[in-house]
Amino acid sequence: MKKFCLYIVCSLFISISFGQTRVDYRDANYLSCDSASAKYIFQTGRNDIDGRWVQNIYTPEMRLLSKTSYKDSTLDIIEGCRTMYHYNGVVKTRACYVDGILDGEVLCMYSNGITRRKDIYQYGNLVEGACYASNGMKITYFDFEKPARYVGGIPALYTAISVNSQSIKIPETDKITGNVKAILYINAEGSIVDVRIVQGLHPLYDAEVIRICKHLGKFDPAELDGEPVNSTFPLLISF
């Protein structure tokens, strides 16, 4: 196989009047499923007021769990607020973003309404921050967002890709060069639960990327306010 070049970006994998609405049923890993098996219901639509796209996540009983405002229909870049809720309806997390970057106040609370975290960001830079125990006492500060990380780091990821790669020796691919963009869907336990190609190069190369990714093994899962969460891990692999 031709030499790999790898580029990695991590991101973390929430009612208003919608002009149009799409409803998706998802399992515990946020993957599409039928309505009978759904653990979550995703409602996505365009806000008629500001043109942004909003995604609400509900339980099957239609209890609102989260609401996120995005720049456009790709749902790649958070623009505005992301608000998450405890099952009792108390706000769990409210964070402000500009171009997908934290900007403004981040407020987190325990289910009893006591503040868990209060941060201030200025376009990605932490200006001030504090974390608290459920009794209101200040505790050691920890980061609000932590992206998924391959166990062993980037060197180990390169090694795993190299070890699991197989040669593709077919004349029709000899003169084909370029990139395959894939997204790994990683659950809160750090397992890869799905691989999707977002920019293909050739069916054989695309299939090889999917095969390799499914053999990569464990990640340290992403965390949000200290709790493991489902996330995405995009890869750009060059042939």
Side-chain angles (χ1 to χ4, degrees):
M1 173 176 275
K2 299 177 183 178
K3 185 178 179 181
F4 281 102
C5 176
L6 177 66
Y7 170 69
I8 303 172
V9 179
C10 297
S11 60
L12 302 175
F13 14 120
I14 255 208
S15 282
I16 61 176
S17 176
F18 288 146
Q20 62 185 74
T21 302
R22 183 179 73 248
V23 175
D24 299 309
Y25 298 98
R26 308 287 182 92
D27 63 17
N29 295 318
Y30 285 2
L31 300 180
S32 295
C33 65
D34 57 66
S35 59
S37 305
K39 299 293 184 182
Y40 303 100
I41 299 173
F42 282 56
Q43 181 191 70
T44 307
R46 185 173 180 273
N47 186 345
D48 289 334
I49 298 174
D50 58 18
R52 295 174 183 170
W53 285 72
V54 174
Q55 185 174 80
N56 295 336
I57 301 178
Y58 299 89
T59 67
E61 298 77 32
M62 296 307 293
R63 184 189 302 273
L64 181 63
L65 296 178
S66 63
K67 177 180 178 180
T68 304
S69 176
Y70 293 92
K71 179 170 284 190
D72 55 40
S73 60
T74 64
L75 306 183
D76 289 331
I77 301 174
I78 301 177
E79 183 74 19
C81 289
R82 175 173 63 186
T83 305
M84 306 175 72
Y85 301 89
H86 290 284
Y87 268 72
N88 64 359
V90 172
V91 171
K92 184 176 184 179
T93 298
R94 178 177 289 121
C96 300
Y97 294 80
V98 174
D99 295 324
I101 298 172
L102 285 168
D103 188 79
E105 184 181 68
V106 174
L107 179 65
C108 302
M109 291 187 286
Y110 291 96
S111 59
N112 61 5
I114 292 178
T115 298
R116 175 183 171 108
R117 165 191 302 276
K118 190 171 184 180
D119 294 347
I120 301 295
Y121 283 84
Q122 186 171 10
Y123 204 65
N125 297 312
L126 179 65
V127 177
E128 59 181 274
C131 298
Y132 304 89
S134 58
N135 61 3
M137 297 295 291
K138 205 169 190 178
I139 60 175
T140 302
Y141 183 85
F142 57 93
D143 291 337
F144 173 59
E145 292 182 334
K146 181 181 176 182
R149 176 183 179 273
Y150 190 70
V151 174
I154 298 301
L157 180 56
Y158 273 110
T159 299
I161 290 175
S162 177
V163 168
N164 286 291
S165 64
Q166 296 178 353
S167 290
I168 297 177
K169 296 181 179 179
I170 295 179
E172 65 178 288
T173 67
D174 285 347
K175 296 182 179 180
I176 298 177
T177 60
N179 302 317
V180 175
K181 292 182 181 180
I183 294 181
L184 311 185
Y185 289 78
I186 302 170
N187 67 14
E189 286 73 49
S191 298
I192 299 173
V193 295
D194 196 16
V195 181
R196 299 182 187 179
I197 302 298
V198 295
Q199 178 182 303
L201 179 62
H202 182 281
L204 293 176
Y205 288 157
D206 298 350
E208 175 64 1
V209 168
I210 292 175
R211 189 193 65 77
I212 290 172
C213 290
K214 288 184 175 180
H215 287 82
L216 287 180
K218 281 278 191 175
F219 282 70
D220 293 322
E223 294 182 4
L224 188 68
D225 197 31
E227 298 181 0
V229 293
N230 296 334
S231 65
T232 58
F233 193 103
L235 302 177
L236 178 64
I237 301 178
S238 298
F239 293 89

